[in-house]
């Protein structure tokens, strides 16, 4: 099964609302990253949080990491139509796999104007 | 910066034919990754290179798949012979690895259709 699994699989909200996506994983990690993929495009890196960090911010993005629960969440505040995309969490594994990322299945986010 | 460049963007071929996908990583990056994305299986890592050396090819589906990185600015993924189940979007990504895990930069992908 997937190392990282996102929840929900799909999310539809109104513009201006906050969007929260969750990611769970199974094994110990070096870090966890979130990526966005617009339809028909490659993935774009959003934010990286290391295993010794609990929370990180970048603009309208807020990521939390709970290593005891093996879970992470991505919060997008004040959503915009341009945020419509699929969002993936990716875990970098230990011990030698620090460079190897394992991606979840993604959450499809739709922002309705 | 041109970003990661992949070619072709679209490839349609018949079963049994050889397919070669190409990737030019971002200049200065020392790690390169090949992924495959399908609806059923999501995004799978096929193989990755560090300093032009294959590090982990455990994701390569079978012997029909091979990848090379002859120099720091070019890599190929070859499928011979191709099969309909190989139809997918293939992404190349690169990163600068100084011993810690850094973000990966993805190319636009090659959409492969095998009929």
């Amino acid at each position: 099964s997937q190392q990282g699994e996102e929840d929900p699989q799909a999310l539809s909200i109104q513009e201006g609302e906050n969007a929260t996506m969750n990611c769970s994983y199974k094994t110990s990690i070096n870090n966890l990253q979130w990526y966005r993929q617009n339809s028909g495009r490659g993935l774009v890196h959003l934010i990286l949080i290391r295993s010794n960090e609990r929370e990180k911010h970048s603009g309208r993005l807020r990521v939390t990491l709970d290593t005891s629960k093996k879970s992470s969440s991505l919060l997008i505040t004040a959503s915009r139509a341009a945020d419509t995309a699929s969002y993936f969490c990716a875990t970098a594994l230990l011990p030698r796999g620090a460079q190897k990322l394992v991606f979840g299945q993604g959450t499809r986010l739709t922002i309705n104007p | 910066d041109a970003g990661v460049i992949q070619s072709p963007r679209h490839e349609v071929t018949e079963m049994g034919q050889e397919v070669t996908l190409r990737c030019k990583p971002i200049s200065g990056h020392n790690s390169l990754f090949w992924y495959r994305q399908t609806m059923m299986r999501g995004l799978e890592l096929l193989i990755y290179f560090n300093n032009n050396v294959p590090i982990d090819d455990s994701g390569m589906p079978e012997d029909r798949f091979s990848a090379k990185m002859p120099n720091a600015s070019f890599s190929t993924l070859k499928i011979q012979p191709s099969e309909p189940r190989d139809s997918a979007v293939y992404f190349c990504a690169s990163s600068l690895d100084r011993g810690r895990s850094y973000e990966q930069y993805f190319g636009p992908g090659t959409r492969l259709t095998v009929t």
Side-chain angles (χ1 to χ4, degrees):
Chain A
S1 61
Q2 294 285 337
Q3 157 72 340
E5 298 194 4
E6 286 92 342
D7 169 59
Q9 290 188 339
L11 179 62
S12 180
I13 61 174
Q14 294 299 120
E15 193 167 20
E17 294 179 340
N18 295 341
T20 300
M21 289 158 273
N22 303 296
C23 170
S24 60
Y25 57 92
K26 294 181 171 62
T27 63
S28 296
I29 61 172
N30 176 287
N31 65 71
L32 186 144
Q33 304 178 29
W34 285 91
Y35 287 77
R36 183 187 73 224
Q37 184 179 32
N38 290 88
S39 181
R41 303 285 192 90
L43 280 72
V44 174
H45 179 265
L46 294 176
I47 195 166
L48 180 155
I49 186 165
R50 302 197 186 282
S51 59
N52 60 354
E53 297 176 311
R54 291 296 167 257
E55 187 171 312
K56 204 162 183 179
H57 297 256
S58 176
R60 293 183 297 113
L61 305 180
R62 173 177 169 253
V63 170
T64 62
L65 179 65
D66 187 334
T67 52
S68 66
K69 295 181 179 179
K70 292 186 168 56
S71 67
S72 173
S73 67
L74 171 67
L75 169 67
I76 303 175
T77 60
S79 63
R80 306 167 181 170
D83 295 328
T84 294
S86 291
Y87 291 81
F88 296 86
C89 69
T91 49
L93 306 179
L94 293 171
R96 289 185 63 244
Q99 183 59 276
K100 178 176 176 176
L101 294 180
V102 179
F103 285 82
Q105 292 281 24
T107 292
R108 278 196 317 280
L109 176 64
T110 302
I111 308 298
N112 302 303
Chain B
D1 195 337
V4 176
I5 299 173
Q6 291 187 246
S7 65
R9 294 292 309 277
H10 301 273
E11 177 81 29
V12 180
T13 191
E14 292 183 346
M15 182 174 63
Q17 297 298 306
E18 177 180 296
V19 175
T20 299
L21 310 182
R22 297 173 176 80
C23 175
K24 177 178 168 56
I26 292 173
S27 177
H29 282 188
N30 61 355
S31 291
L32 182 141
F33 308 81
W34 282 101
Y35 292 91
R36 178 173 68 177
Q37 187 177 38
T38 62
M39 289 296 293
M40 289 296 295
R41 300 177 66 88
L43 193 66
E44 303 173 280
L45 176 66
L46 300 178
I47 185 171
Y48 79 92
F49 297 83
N50 184 255
N51 294 323
N52 311 339
V53 175
I55 302 300
D56 186 340
D57 66 354
S58 59
M60 295 286 262
E62 48 199 271
D63 292 345
R64 297 185 298 105
F65 286 68
S66 62
K68 294 182 180 179
M69 192 164 186
N71 57 62
S73 59
F74 184 65
S75 177
T76 59
L77 178 68
K78 185 176 294 186
I79 308 173
Q80 166 64 13
S82 57
E83 296 182 2
R85 61 190 166 125
D86 301 330
S87 297
V89 181
Y90 291 80
F91 289 102
C92 175
S94 70
S95 72
L96 178 59
D97 174 22
R98 296 195 189 99
R100 304 174 73 187
S101 186
Y102 284 79
E103 61 265 31
Q104 296 183 11
Y105 294 80
F106 281 73
T110 295
R111 182 173 295 277
L112 174 65
T113 303
V114 183
T115 60

